[in-house]
Amino acid sequence: HMGPQKVDREVDSVCPFCGVGCLVTYQVRDPDPTGAVPARIISVKGREGPANEGRLCVKGRFGMDYIHSPDRITKPLIRKPGVAKDLSLIDGHTDWREVFREATWEEALTLATQPLNTLRQQHGPKSLAGFGSAKGSNEEAYLFQKLVRTGFGSNNVDHCTRLCHASSVAALLEGVGSGAVSNPVRDVEHSDLIIVIGSNPTANHPVAASWMKNAAQRGTRIVLADPRITDIGRHTWRNLQFKADTDVALLNAMLHVIVTENLCDEKFLRERADNVVELKAHVRDYTPEVMSAVCGIPADTIREVARAYASAKAAMILWGMGVSQHVHGTDNVRCLIALASITGQIGRPGTGLHPLRGQNNVQGASDAGLIPMMYPNYQRVTDQSAHDWFEKFWDTKLDDQPGYTVVEIMHKALAPESDPHKVRGMYIMGENPAMSDPDLNHARHALASLQHLVVQDIFLTETAWLADVVLPASAWPEKTGTVSNTDRTVQMGRQAVQPPGDAKPDLWIVQQIAQRMGLDWPYAGEHDGVAAVYEEMRQAMASAIGGIDWARLNAGSVTYPCVSADDPGQPIVFHDHFPTKDGRVWLVPAGLIPAAEQTDAEYPMVLITGRQLEHWHTGSMTRRATVLDALEPAATASMCSADLVRLGLQAGQQVRIASRRGEVQLQVRCDDGTPQGAVFMPFAYVEAAANELTNAALDPFGKIPEFKYCAVRVSALQPS
Ligand code: SF4
C-alpha cells in the first residue's frame, strides 16, 4: 500500500497512536474515476508540531494502512438468535457470518437501544454502564460521558485511563491539584538531569524519547530507574535496575538522603508545601543501607543519584506505567511528587513532573469527564456545587454518587441477581476490554454474561465477538475532531477519507443512540456538529480551554490552561502556586506495600506486561498495519540469557507461561535487559494474551490493576 503512487491531496492531522501527539500530513490518493478503488492514504509525512517538529516513529509513518484493512466492519451487525456468547469465538477463527447478520442502521440502532431502555426501566440506572475511548476525539469522549450521565442516569462511565495512569492522576490531584503534566516532554532540553522511571520511552513514546536522547547528547544526565533496562539505557548517566515492586523503597531512600543531608529547598517548602514535617519524619527510617537490601541498588548509588537530582539546576521526572500499574501505584507517584517538591524541582523550565500519557487522547478523554468520579474538568460528582452546576448546564437530574470503574464494572456484571447494582447492559465505544483488562478469563466471562452488549468499533475486536449489536465506526483519519496530548496540547485532527461502506462517524452514532434514549441534543453543523460539541465542552471546562475556540484550534495547536483569547497557553505550570485549595502542594508519606501476589515454588517468576515499539495496545490497529505486522508478526516473551540457561531454554523456543488464572504458549526471546527471575510480555497478541495471566488486584486509590507484577511459571513446550 505504501509504494510510490500519485498523491492527489494532502490533509493535516495528528498521529492516532500514542500520547506524544505528533502532527502528520496524510498523502491521499483520490478514488479512481470508476469508483472501484476508494480514496486511500498512501503515505504519511511528519509535520511541524510542538511535540515532534516533523519527526515520526515507525507507527506514525508506516502504521496508517490499518484503516484500509479488509477486516473493517462496513455494516451494522446483529447477533443471530441462539448463537451463544462462547469465549472460544474470541480467537477470531470463526466466520463472522455464523455469529452475526448484517442490518440497516435503523434496525441496528433500535436493537442497540431498546434493551438499554428496558434494563434501565426494570433495574434502574446503575444496571447500565459505558466504556468510552481514549482513541477517539475530545468531542466523542465528552458526548459519550454526557450520554451515560444524562441518558443512562448514572456515573458508570470509564475508559482505559483506569488501566494506565489512574493512580498517577489520583496522587497528582491529591498533591498538586492537577492530574496533568507540569512541563512538556521537550522541556528536557532545559534539564541538567532527568529521571525516567517505570517507562520504556523508545518503544512507547518514541519521538519523546528522541528529545531525551538529543538532550543527553548535549550533556543532560539521564537516570533510568526501571526493573528492565531498555533502549534508553544506552543513553543514560546511571541505570538503576531496581527489583520489580520496590519503587517506594528506592524513592524513600532518595528522600532520606535529601532530608538528612540538608539538600531540601527549605524556602520552597516554607512558602509552597504542607505536611513537610510529617514527610521528613517518615523517611528518616528509610536509610539507603536498609533500602538497598530491598530494592537491590547499592546505597552509594542511591546517595549519588539523590544528591545529583537535588543539586541539579533543573531536574525533571518522567514516568510511565511501570510506576502506575501496581497496587501501590498511587504511593509510587506520591514519592515522585515529594521528590520534586522537597528539592524545589518544579515550576520552572526543565523541572517538574511528567506522567507520559499512553493513548493519543487519554489526557483529553479524562479532561472531558470520561471517568466515573468526575464530571468534565475533574469536577467531583460528589461536590455539591459541581453537581448543581452540571444539573443546570445539562438541564437534567444527575446522580451524585461516583460510578464504578473499569474492573469494578466487570465484577458487577458477574454479581448475583440480588445485587441492586448488578451491571446488565453495556455500551462500549472503541475499547477492547476482552484483551486489555486484567485476568481476561474473568473479564470475558463478565462481558459474555451481560444481558445486552453494544460494541462500536472499526474491527470485530475480541470484545465485539461477545456483542449483541456491533456498530461500524470510523477510524481516526475518517473524521474530524480534537485530541489533547501528554503535554496538554489540544490539536485538530481532520478527515482525509470517507469511512468504508456504511460505517459512520462515532459522533453521529452516539447522537443517534442518545436520541433513542429520549435525549434531545442540538448539535448541528459540519462533521456531525463537532464544533458545536466542542463549544459546549469549552464552556464546561473554562478554566482549562476557555480561551481556545474552534477557529483558534483550526489555525494551530494550543496548550492549556488557556483562559482567554489573548492567553498564549501555558506549557509550564505551577510557577508560583499549585491549583489546590490553598495553593500549596500536599506531601503524602508512603510506606512499603508489597504486590498483591508473590512468587512461590509453584509460580517462581515475575510477569511484567507492557507494549513494544511496533504494536499498539491490544493490536487491533497495528496488527492490521502491513509494515508493523511484518516487523513483529508473533507474540514473544522476553527473558534474560541467565534464566534461559537456568531453565534449559533456547531463544526462539516455544514455552508455556502459566499463572494462577490462565496459561499461554508463545516463543521466548533473549533480552538481557529483562532482570533475572522475570519475564516480559506485550499484551497485543490474542493468540497468547498476556492478560490471561495478570492479576486484577487494584490500587485502592486509583483503582488501577497490577499489570506490572504477578507470579508465573515458565516451562518448555517441547524439548529443544
Ligand atoms: Fe505517533 Fe507517538 Fe510515534 Fe509520534 S511517537 S508518530 S504520536 S506513535
Side-chain angles (χ1 to χ4, degrees):
H1 303 308
M2 297 289 180
Q5 297 180 61
K6 184 169 146 283
V7 175
D8 291 316
R9 59 196 163 85
E10 295 192 328
V11 178
D12 288 345
S13 188
V14 192
C15 173
F17 291 106
C18 91
V20 173
C22 298
L23 295 190
V24 299
T25 298
Y26 306 124
Q27 299 194 298
V28 182
R29 180 88 198 253
D30 280 334
D32 79 338
T34 68
V37 182
R40 301 181 72 87
I41 294 176
I42 54 175
S43 60
V44 177
K45 290 195 303 190
R47 187 159 61 96
E48 290 299 308
N52 68 315
E53 281 193 17
R55 298 178 185 192
L56 294 179
C57 79
V58 67
K59 290 190 284 284
R61 195 174 296 281
F62 298 115
M64 217 67 74
D65 67 337
Y66 72 92
I67 72 165
H68 302 306
S69 163
D71 292 348
R72 287 290 299 273
I73 320 168
T74 56
K75 285 195 184 317
L77 303 176
I78 310 291
R79 194 174 206 85
K80 288 182 172 174
V83 178
K85 295 182 177 178
D86 186 337
L87 299 193
S88 66
L89 294 173
I90 287 177
D91 68 8
H93 292 139
T94 313
D95 183 341
W96 65 265
R97 292 171 193 81
E98 291 175 22
V99 179
F100 299 104
R101 66 172 172 83
E102 293 181 340
T104 63
W105 270 104
E106 190 52 47
E107 183 188 14
L109 287 166
T110 302
L111 291 179
T113 316
Q114 267 179 358
L116 296 175
N117 284 327
T118 305
L119 287 170
R120 185 184 55 185
Q121 279 156 16
Q122 290 178 347
H123 300 283
K126 288 194 165 68
S127 65
L128 302 180
F131 289 170
S133 178
K135 290 232 80 62
S137 66
N138 287 323
E139 296 76 25
E140 289 162 2
Y142 175 83
L143 269 203
F144 191 88
Q145 61 86 36
K146 183 175 172 183
L147 169 68
V148 173
R149 295 198 151 106
T150 65
F152 291 13
S154 86
N155 293 307
N156 280 352
V157 61
D158 208 355
H159 76 294
C160 69
T161 190
R162 197 67 40 215
L163 308 177
C164 63
H165 267 305
S167 48
S168 303
V169 172
L172 288 165
L173 284 173
E174 167 193 76
V176 300
S178 162
V181 303
S182 68
N183 296 54
V185 171
R186 289 201 54 195
D187 222 25
V188 297
E189 292 171 357
H190 303 114
S191 308
D192 295 336
L193 182 142
I194 63 174
I195 295 178
V196 178
I197 178 166
S199 167
N200 175 6
T202 313
N204 297 323
H205 303 86
V207 169
S210 74
W211 298 120
M212 297 177 201
K213 293 174 198 173
N214 288 159
Q217 284 165 342
R218 286 193 294 268
T220 300
R221 288 173 293 172
I222 302 178
V223 176
L224 173 65
D226 199 303
R228 296 169 67 219
I229 299 303
T230 55
D231 173 78
I232 196 77
R234 298 189 295 124
H235 305 267
T236 44
W237 172 60
R238 293 289 179 268
N239 287 336
L240 310 183
Q241 190 171 22
F242 64 90
K243 284 184 201 156
D245 195 40
T246 65
D247 320 54
V248 171
L250 171 66
L251 298 170
N252 272 353
M254 288 175 64
L255 287 164
H256 172 97
V257 174
I258 292 165
V259 168
T260 56
E261 298 190 7
N262 298 321
L263 299 172
C264 297
D265 183 337
E266 293 297 347
K267 181 170 182 291
F268 182 95
L269 290 176
R270 232 179 4 261
E271 293 173 358
R272 301 190 55 188
D274 285 326
N275 217 30
V276 177
V277 173
E278 289 77 0
L279 179 85
K280 285 182 172 178
H282 175 77
V283 299
R284 287 217 170 251
D285 293 340
Y286 291 81
T287 65
E289 287 68 26
V290 174
M291 289 303 108
S292 173
V294 179
C295 70
I297 304 298
D300 286 349
T301 308
I302 296 174
R303 288 187 190 282
E304 180 189 37
V305 170
R307 288 170 190 152
Y309 175 76
S311 57
K313 277 202 199 102
M316 186 166 167
I317 303 174
L318 302 103
W319 72 93
M321 281 148 230
V323 164
S324 59
Q325 290 175 336
H326 288 280
V327 291
H328 49 80
T330 304
D331 281 338
N332 293 347
V333 180
R334 286 169 172 156
C335 292
L336 299 178
I337 294 168
L339 264 181
S341 302
I342 66 165
T343 53
Q345 297 284 18
I346 195 158
R348 290 175 285 118
T351 68
L353 297 161
H354 190 118
L356 286 154
R357 306 309 302 255
Q359 294 272 14
N360 60 328
N361 197 34
V362 67
Q363 182 64 59
S366 304
D367 300 341
L370 213 53
I371 35 185
M373 53 294 273
M374 285 153 187
Y375 298 125
N377 214 15
Y378 303 96
Q379 303 292 300
R380 290 192 181 276
V381 299
T382 47
D383 180 301
Q384 191 61 45
S385 63
H387 176 80
D388 294 348
W389 193 92
F390 276 98
E391 281 201 336
K392 198 161 166 224
F393 188 59
W394 288 331
D395 191 21
T396 189
K397 282 271 160 234
L398 294 171
D399 186 4
D400 59 3
Q401 293 305 304
Y404 292 115
T405 60
V406 165
V407 176
E408 289 171 336
I409 286 170
M410 292 296 117
H411 288 318
K412 281 293 174 192
L414 288 172
E417 280 299 315
S418 55
D419 187 327
H421 291 176
K422 180 178 171 66
V423 171
R424 299 162 193 270
M426 284 192 71
Y427 175 20
I428 299 178
M429 174 181 81
E431 294 234 317
N432 191 9
M435 277 292 283
S436 59
D437 274 22
D439 190 1
L440 281 183
N441 243 328
H442 177 273
R444 289 171 178 177
H445 272 111
L447 290 164
S449 76
L450 292 167
Q451 276 172 256
H452 187 60
L453 174 60
V454 180
V455 170
Q456 176 174 321
D457 216 308
I458 61 173
F459 297 115
L460 262 182
T461 60
E462 290 74 15
T463 305
W465 280 102
L466 301 172
D468 296 280
V469 180
V470 182
L471 304 174
S474 294
W476 179 241
E478 295 160 0
K479 55 196 178 184
T480 290
T482 68
V483 282
S484 304
N485 74 358
T486 189
D487 294 333
R488 294 181 268 106
T489 305
V490 191
Q491 314 196 93
M492 179 77 77
R494 296 178 182 84
Q495 185 184 28
V497 293
Q498 293 294 327
D502 289 347
K504 293 282 189 190
D506 297 73
L507 212 57
W508 180 86
I509 304 171
V510 175
Q511 290 179 66
Q512 293 296 316
I513 300 263
Q515 197 181 43
R516 285 162 180 78
M517 296 197 83
L519 300 171
D520 181 20
W521 284 353
Y523 312 108
E526 274 188 322
H527 301 293
D528 307 294
V530 65
V533 177
Y534 178 82
E535 282 305 318
E536 180 180 313
M537 189 173 74
R538 190 162 74 96
Q539 289 176 43
M541 300 172 58
S543 70
I545 59 170
I548 316 174
D549 67 12
W550 190 256
R552 192 170 170 186
L553 276 178
N554 230 339
S557 309
V558 185
T559 300
Y560 73 79
C562 172
V563 293
S564 63
D566 55 2
D567 180 349
Q570 296 177 46
I572 301 172
V573 290
F574 311 153
H575 293 285
D576 50 14
H577 77 285
F578 295 95
T580 50
K581 281 213 170 77
D582 61 1
R584 297 162 72 86
V585 56
W586 177 253
L587 303 180
V588 182
L592 301 185
I593 297 171
E597 183 177 66
Q598 296 295 319
T599 55
D600 58 14
E602 200 181 348
Y603 299 99
M605 296 190 73
V606 173
L607 174 69
I608 302 171
T609 67
R611 297 183 304 211
Q612 58 191 153
L613 171 63
E614 293 79 3
H615 285 303
W616 186 255
H617 281 207
T618 67
S620 55
M621 295 158 69
T622 50
R623 294 199 76 196
R624 292 175 171 99
T626 321
V627 171
L628 302 177
D629 187 51
L631 288 170
E632 282 287 354
T636 56
S638 299
M639 291 169 61
C640 67
S641 45
D643 277 341
L644 291 180
V645 170
R646 185 173 56 83
L647 295 172
L649 300 171
Q650 288 181 356
Q653 190 176 343
Q654 288 284 318
V655 295
R656 175 185 288 122
I657 303 184
S659 77
R660 288 185 176 82
R661 293 156 292 279
E663 72 170 52
V664 296
Q665 297 174 7
L666 73 173
Q667 269 191 349
V668 73
R669 175 180 273 180
C670 182
D671 168 27
D672 280 328
T674 303
Q676 253 183 287
V679 53
F680 172 79
M681 278 179 66
F683 62 96
Y685 300 88
V686 63
E687 63 274 30
N691 283 325
E692 290 192 33
L693 309 174
T694 50
N695 188 4
L698 300 182
D699 170 286
F701 306 100
K703 304 284 176 80
I704 191 169
E706 192 153 55
F707 288 117
K708 295 297 184 199
Y709 198 103
C710 73
V712 294
R713 181 178 60 241
V714 180
S715 51
L717 199 58
Q718 70 222 4
S720 54

